[in-house]
Amino acid sequence: MRRTFARRTAVIGSAALLLLGPAAAVAQAEPETAPTQATALPAELVEALQRDLQIDAERFLTDAQRSQELAAFAEKAREQFAAVFSGVWLDDKGTPTVGLTDGDDFDEARAAAEDAGFTVAETQRSEDALEEQLGALGDWLETQPPAVADVIRGIAIDVVNNDVVVRADNVAGIELPEFLDGVRVLFAPSELTPEGATDLQPIAGGIAAPDALFGGDAYASLGAGTGLRCSLGFNAEDGSGRPVNITAGHCDPNRAQAGTRWAAEVHQLIGDALGQHLGSFEKTVLDGSDYALIRPTPEAAGRFQNNGVRVPLAAPLPITGVADPVVGTPVCKSGLRTGYSCGVVTAADQNVEIGHRVLENGFSTNLCALQGDSGGTLVTGTLALGISSASNVGQYGMCEIAGFVSGLLGETPELFATPIKSILAENPGLKVRTW
């Protein structure tokens, strides 16, 4: 079947630290007015920031805040300075940057950006011009036979290099038309499959576990004769104030029955054993987005009434709000297999095929994620950013091996995610817990 990609702005970054490679308004609790103190971050997260990004907790919180200021500026600039605006990003030093191209509104746009405290980078093409090129590429793909069109897995705008990139299965086999000369071709991502769990056994005598459950904690999903190991996502509440957990849709082994009496069950995972029955999948989406809502049982509901994410069994990071993915933003994920790992957002608002589905308006990061990390949380500072969905190194047993092997192939570990704001927009009344 021929694949087509929506003609919407896609932004991909490639600053020195980065991998070469429409947020609707939603009702959501605002971040705390008082800034979070760097000393309040869990020690495991601080260690991951220093190990993976060579930054401290204060820089992490500052860059997260500045990225959201950039996102707010971009929303206004697309309307006021459409002819000259070409995007926003954080560079590898954390400098908030606004791209502007030459035009009648250049001086006014520069003044607005600099008054907001941002650095201006001059570019050759506006975001609108790059979108037109994406549209032309889409038109061309629709005229190609499957042997050509099916190789293309995604298209995006590189905001830092101010050009267009194509994701494909077979880089050597692509011959792009002359009007796309200079477009870079990158490898397509692979599915981040949950870890199989056919060997799970109930704990003898059951378990009474009143302790809180946080994003990043391990769970097992059982349904349709299949067992999977995944990571909890963000704790949330629906429009009726009832607790749910937002995790990955591909962690549901019985998606067709979500929300029914036959829905896949969710159990706490304690080592290799099943703990308390926590609930079931109430809603599962794997078309466009990749997310699921877990509805706790009455007995387990209280365990989800918190705003924390963490490395399993460690101290939690309190979530204070939600964020838009901005290229260059520092981001950390938590999951049962690899714990905390940190990197940067390398792309935003891109449509890319993953396996047999298209992840729409997703974002990517230069993070390593392995089987079992599926469904876990991605945060910037203390803000919820997304849910882990796909990885190009998920099949490896260790991130050290994944980094070495992918390096030999000329690639870098990459994790794709579904933006939390997109999930909230699709579910009116749903909100991430910030209390």
Side-chain angles (χ1 to χ4, degrees):
M1 180 178 68
R2 185 169 302 173
R3 292 172 280 271
T4 58
F5 301 96
R7 297 183 195 173
R8 303 189 63 173
T9 303
V11 181
I12 185 167
S14 55
L17 184 63
L18 308 185
L19 171 67
L20 294 178
V26 294
Q28 170 64 38
E30 294 297 323
E32 295 177 347
T33 54
T36 302
Q37 297 296 318
T39 53
L41 269 61
E44 295 84 357
L45 177 57
V46 174
E47 180 183 353
L49 288 167
Q50 295 171 339
R51 179 193 67 227
D52 300 335
L53 291 176
Q54 293 78 54
I55 65 173
D56 58 20
E58 185 175 354
R59 165 78 182 272
F60 183 53
L61 294 171
T62 299
D63 283 4
Q65 178 181 347
R66 295 297 271 165
S67 74
Q68 298 314 290
E69 293 170 358
L70 278 174
F73 180 87
E75 185 175 354
K76 296 179 180 178
R78 288 188 176 101
E79 296 181 3
Q80 298 178 8
F81 312 117
V84 299
F85 177 72
S86 62
V88 298
W89 65 93
L90 290 175
D91 70 10
D92 57 344
K93 296 180 180 179
T95 305
T97 306
V98 177
L100 298 175
T101 190
D102 190 33
D104 292 340
D105 295 331
F106 180 87
D107 290 338
E108 184 180 355
R110 174 190 282 275
E114 292 179 345
D115 287 346
F118 306 138
T119 295
V120 171
E122 296 187 22
T123 60
Q124 291 185 345
R125 290 170 289 184
S126 68
E127 190 176 77
D128 284 350
L130 291 172
E131 283 189 16
E132 289 181 7
Q133 192 171 23
L134 282 183
L137 176 55
D139 290 341
W140 175 77
L141 285 174
E142 292 177 1
T143 68
Q144 300 303 300
V148 175
D150 288 356
V151 174
I152 304 298
R153 298 284 181 164
I155 54 180
I157 290 173
D158 182 337
V159 63
V160 177
N161 282 330
N162 193 231
D163 60 12
V164 172
V165 296
V166 171
R167 291 189 178 276
D169 280 335
N170 182 2
V171 174
I174 297 178
E175 294 184 8
L176 296 175
E178 290 185 2
F179 72 86
L180 291 173
D181 282 349
V183 168
R184 291 179 297 114
V185 181
L186 306 177
F187 290 107
S190 304
E191 190 107 34
L192 178 58
T193 56
E195 187 176 14
T198 57
D199 57 340
L200 293 176
Q201 297 294 327
I203 293 178
I207 184 170
D211 54 302
L213 289 168
F214 301 98
D217 283 347
Y219 74 90
S221 54
L222 308 176
T226 301
L228 302 174
R229 291 181 174 91
C230 279
S231 301
L232 290 174
F234 296 104
N235 289 328
E237 284 189 353
D238 63 15
S240 299
R242 299 179 298 170
V244 295
N245 184 268
I246 306 172
T247 187
H250 68 270
C251 286
D252 182 355
N254 195 17
R255 293 189 288 273
Q257 299 298 329
T260 73
R261 59 183 295 188
W262 299 282
E265 292 186 350
V266 174
H267 289 255
Q268 185 177 9
L269 191 58
I270 304 175
D272 291 326
L274 295 177
Q276 183 185 23
H277 174 211
L278 299 176
S280 62
F281 285 89
E282 181 167 288
K283 179 178 181 179
T284 299
V285 175
L286 205 55
D287 181 17
S289 298
D290 176 9
Y291 70 90
L293 303 181
I294 296 173
R295 172 71 66 191
T297 64
E299 295 77 15
R303 303 182 68 189
F304 293 87
Q305 293 176 330
N306 65 78
N307 65 330
V309 302
R310 66 176 179 182
V311 172
L313 304 179
L317 171 75
I319 297 301
T320 61
V322 296
D324 290 302
V326 172
V327 170
T329 302
V331 57
C332 297
K333 73 120 201 28
S334 59
L336 76 90
R337 278 292 303 278
T338 55
Y340 280 126
S341 59
C342 301
V344 294
V345 174
T346 57
D349 299 323
Q350 66 173 331
N351 299 334
V352 61
E353 185 169 6
I354 300 169
H356 299 290
R357 59 188 173 89
V358 175
L359 180 63
E360 298 178 355
N361 303 313
F363 68 94
S364 59
T365 67
N366 58 353
L367 290 170
C368 173
L370 306 179
Q371 292 182 353
D373 290 329
S374 293
T377 60
L378 286 91
V379 302
T380 182
T382 59
L383 305 176
L385 196 62
I387 296 295
S388 295
S389 181
S391 169
N392 64 345
V393 294
Q395 70 273 28
Y396 297 107
M398 298 175 61
C399 282
E400 292 80 2
I401 296 175
F404 175 76
V405 175
S406 62
L408 293 178
L409 299 175
E411 299 183 35
T412 302
E414 192 171 19
L415 171 64
F416 285 74
T418 297
I420 193 65
K421 281 196 172 183
S422 295
I423 299 172
L424 300 181
E426 292 181 22
N427 296 270
L430 180 67
K431 56 184 178 181
V432 173
R433 286 188 65 94
T434 57
W435 65 98

